Amino acid sequence: MTDTPLLILGAAFSDEERDRLEAAHSAVYAASHDDIAVLSEDSRASVKALAFKGHNPLGGATMDLLPNLGLIANYGVGYDAINVEDASVRGIKVTNTPDVLNDDVADLAVGMMIAQSRNMVEGDAWVRSGKWATGENLPLNRKMSGSTVGIVGLGRIGRDIADRLAAFKMDIHYHARSEKETPGWTFHSDVVSLASAVDYLVIALVGGKATEKYVSREAIAALGPRGVIVNISRGSTIDEEALIEALENNTIAGAGLDVFNDEPKVDERFYALDNAVLQPHQGSGTVETRRAMAELQLANITAHLSGTDLLTPVN
Ligand code: 8YV
């Protein structure tokens, strides 16, 4: 009888992350659903917990290969890749890694806003190309401090972004399911109204079906020619076709984007846009935070396997 209570699923795991999980629990690794399907019945039956990383969909068909699975521990706060409903009906718990990444994601959102407004990408190239040395100055750009920002989704990460921007003396507007206790900040019950009131629109929504194209073509149009869109959530939360068109036609001023539909195969039209700062979904990508996420994932797995309370359950 095999005794490998942990299945590590996802090619996204680094060697170090896999080693740490394997050092804590006897484990078997699979890059994908198909790799699980070819494991012996005995091996599949011994799996009680699954460590998941990545954005490939994980649904009931995979869960059904593992008859004794009790936990799916996600590496990441967003768990839109996991079909939680399928897990719940099978009595499988799901956990994620909230909070430990808020600072990094909020930092990157603000960093992209400044980089876009102050034309930092071109500024860097300007110095390196020697243009500055020959006396040519970078064209003047745009002041960010003191302007108006709209946060779409005032959850934990949205809140951390807003707190940072308040220190930049920005006028904070937001849209959320309900009005929050945030004196001085302006609530909007819909995204179009929010977009029409602000210079910067920062998307901090959860992913998944319910928020698909939540920032619509109409909202992008409402932002207007001085508008800058920043997205650190999921590519799916905005109408990407409308966003590309708006950036190409300069009907908005620019964007700072860490997430895309179909990433990492980013729509190639983005490559030509000099009004957009593009990042490779690296919001949580610091050594410190990725370590904290890995530790929280492992702590949930250990809790499940030792029969104690899960730290961060989502169902
Ligand atoms: C990913 C993220 O988890 O936490 C999230 O929701 O999007 C990221 O931190 C990370 O890219 C690993 O897949």
Side-chain angles (χ1 to χ4, degrees):
M1 172 83 187
T2 342
D3 189 21
T4 45
L6 177 62
L7 174 75
I8 302 171
L9 174 62
F13 280 105
S14 69
D15 289 346
E16 192 203 330
E17 287 162 353
R18 271 179 59 182
D19 288 350
R20 205 173 312 119
L21 287 165
E22 282 164 6
H25 300 286
S26 175
V28 60
Y29 168 73
S32 66
H33 171 95
D34 291 351
D35 284 1
I36 302 176
V38 297
L39 294 173
S40 71
E41 210 176 314
D42 195 29
S43 172
R44 286 189 280 114
S46 82
V47 170
K48 298 188 175 69
L50 189 158
F52 181 72
K53 181 175 180 184
H55 301 281
N56 291 331
L58 169 55
T62 305
M63 300 171 200
D64 287 340
L65 294 172
L66 306 162
N68 295 309
L69 184 65
L71 173 72
I72 297 170
N74 185 42
Y75 179 111
V77 64
Y79 47 87
D80 42 304
I82 301 168
N83 190 325
V84 178
E85 219 173 280
D86 282 1
S88 296
V89 297
R90 289 165 176 77
I92 300 168
K93 301 293 284 180
V94 177
T95 57
N96 66 343
T97 60
D99 293 324
V100 293
L101 42 59
N102 297 355
D103 280 339
D104 276 349
V105 178
D107 288 353
L108 192 78
V110 176
M112 289 193 296
M113 288 172 70
I114 300 173
Q116 203 287 332
S117 306
R118 304 307 309 274
N119 209 1
M120 287 173 72
V121 175
E122 194 186 354
D124 180 275
W126 204 270
V127 176
R128 290 172 200 270
S129 69
K131 270 189 184 171
W132 189 37
T134 63
E136 260 192 273
N137 286 322
L138 184 71
L140 297 182
N141 36 67
R142 170 174 173 178
K143 179 170 178 173
M144 185 186 88
S145 283
S147 53
T148 305
V149 64
I151 314 284
V152 189
L154 207 67
R156 290 174 281 223
I157 293 175
R159 187 64 193 256
D160 271 11
I161 295 169
D163 285 341
R164 279 162 174 72
L165 295 177
F168 284 80
K169 295 172 264 184
M170 292 182 81
D171 183 13
I172 313 285
H173 293 233
Y174 69 96
H175 164 70
R177 273 187 292 254
S178 60
E179 194 163 356
K180 314 278 179 197
E181 275 294 312
T182 50
W185 297 1
T186 309
F187 171 72
H188 294 256
S189 58
D190 72 274
V191 184
V192 175
S193 149
L194 178 72
S196 57
V198 301
D199 307 310
Y200 294 83
L201 192 73
V202 182
I203 311 171
L205 291 164
V206 295
K209 278 260 165 283
T211 56
E212 240 167 57
K213 295 190 186 171
Y214 200 84
V215 178
S216 60
R217 181 176 286 274
E218 197 192 346
I220 296 168
L223 194 57
R226 276 188 59 77
V228 174
I229 291 176
V230 170
N231 193 1
I232 46 75
S233 62
R234 290 288 183 264
S236 57
T237 58
I238 187 163
D239 184 333
E240 190 169 278
E241 186 58 37
L243 172 64
I244 293 171
E245 285 173 26
L247 289 166
E248 283 180 339
N249 300 327
N250 297 306
T251 54
I252 61 170
L257 306 170
D258 187 42
V259 288
F260 304 85
N261 278 333
D262 205 24
E263 59 185 51
K265 291 189 209 105
V266 172
D267 188 313
E268 291 189 10
R269 287 174 293 172
F270 279 114
Y271 299 166
L273 294 169
D274 56 14
N275 52 358
V277 173
L278 310 178
Q279 296 295 304
H281 196 154
Q282 63 126 334
S284 66
T286 65
V287 172
E288 295 84 351
T289 290
R290 288 290 168 86
R291 172 65 68 91
M293 290 163 70
E295 280 170 4
L296 183 50
Q297 179 185 44
L298 177 56
N300 276 304
I301 292 164
T302 304
H304 176 72
L305 294 179
S306 58
T308 58
D309 286 349
L310 297 171
L311 284 84
T312 48
V314 302
N315 64 343

